[in-house]
Amino acid sequence: MRYPIPDLPLGDWRETELEVEKSRFLTWTCHAPDTASFETLLAKARTRHPNASHHCSAFVAGPPSDDGEPGGTAGRPMFQVLEGAGMGQVGCVVIRYFGGTKLGTGGLARAYSKAVAQALETLPSRDFTQRTPLRMKLGFAGEAEARSWLNEQDIPVEQADYGADGVVLTVGWPSDRDADLSALDSRLKGQLEHLTD
């Protein structure tokens, strides 16, 4: 399966700002391949903006958070925008500084949704391919040919284990493709063995 993810180094984030009725909404968006990455972003937001009224969050692989805003006015609308964008491994924190004017539940939901949508407009992204480890054994003479074929197929070699009788390559096979090694086996003249754990 292929889908877009934020093209940001782990630990970095993009910040955008939105003002609604004198309330400031700072949106931090990050690449979050796991919950720990996202929790790190949330902790940094709370540390850097300790005086903010709220630190609301959404993460596509975890539950949204309203952080004290009326139920369903922040985390859920933020999550819906992230989910609707079709992006994976993404998280965001919207840091709100209350400007003195109450926005009401509808106004809050619109403001949080807009803050996330605005952040996603300029967020750099790249395609991500889910991969499954696949192991194959071959002779030393076929390694260069195998690596060339794998490179042509956009299949990364994740590990190479050398033994007395050849090499075992562990590759990241795209999970949306059948593990068909017949073309490579043909190129290697039947000298390829697909290993199963």
Side-chain angles (χ1 to χ4, degrees), residues 29-73:
T29 311
C30 73
H31 174 213
D34 51 42
T35 304
S37 302
F38 179 68
E39 292 296 333
T40 299
L41 177 77
L42 184 56
K44 284 181 183 177
R46 288 182 171 148
T47 300
R48 292 205 181 174
H49 294 278
N51 299 321
S53 308
H54 305 278
H55 298 85
C56 302
S57 61
F59 173 48
V60 295
S65 162
D66 291 317
D67 189 43
E69 292 285 25
T73 62

Side-chain angles (χ1 to χ4, degrees), residues 156-190:
V157 175
E158 296 174 345
Q159 185 174 332
D161 296 306
Y162 297 93
D165 58 344
V167 61
V168 174
L169 297 178
T170 303
V171 300
W173 195 269
S175 58
D176 59 351
R177 287 174 46 190
D178 289 334
D180 181 5
L181 298 172
S182 58
L184 177 57
D185 191 40
S186 176
R187 278 172 92 162
L188 298 177
K189 298 176 179 49

Side-chain angles (χ1 to χ4, degrees), residues 72-150:
T73 62
R76 180 166 292 141
M78 292 168 59
F79 181 78
Q80 288 171 334
V81 172
L82 288 179
E83 189 176 49
M87 186 173 281
Q89 301 181 22
V90 61
C92 66
V93 176
V94 177
I95 303 154
R96 180 182 177 207
Y97 286 94
F98 180 59
T101 302
K102 292 190 176 189
L103 301 177
T105 57
L108 283 171
R110 283 189 297 277
Y112 281 104
S113 293
K114 185 175 181 179
V116 174
Q118 174 183 291
L120 292 178
E121 286 174 8
T122 59
L123 184 68
S125 67
R126 62 181 168 87
D127 282 340
F128 174 79
T129 301
Q130 286 184 312
R131 297 184 183 273
T132 304
L134 183 142
R135 295 177 40 208
M136 60 183 78
K137 184 176 181 180
L138 53 134
F140 295 117
E143 182 181 1
E145 185 69 26
R147 284 180 180 268
S148 175
W149 184 85
L150 291 163

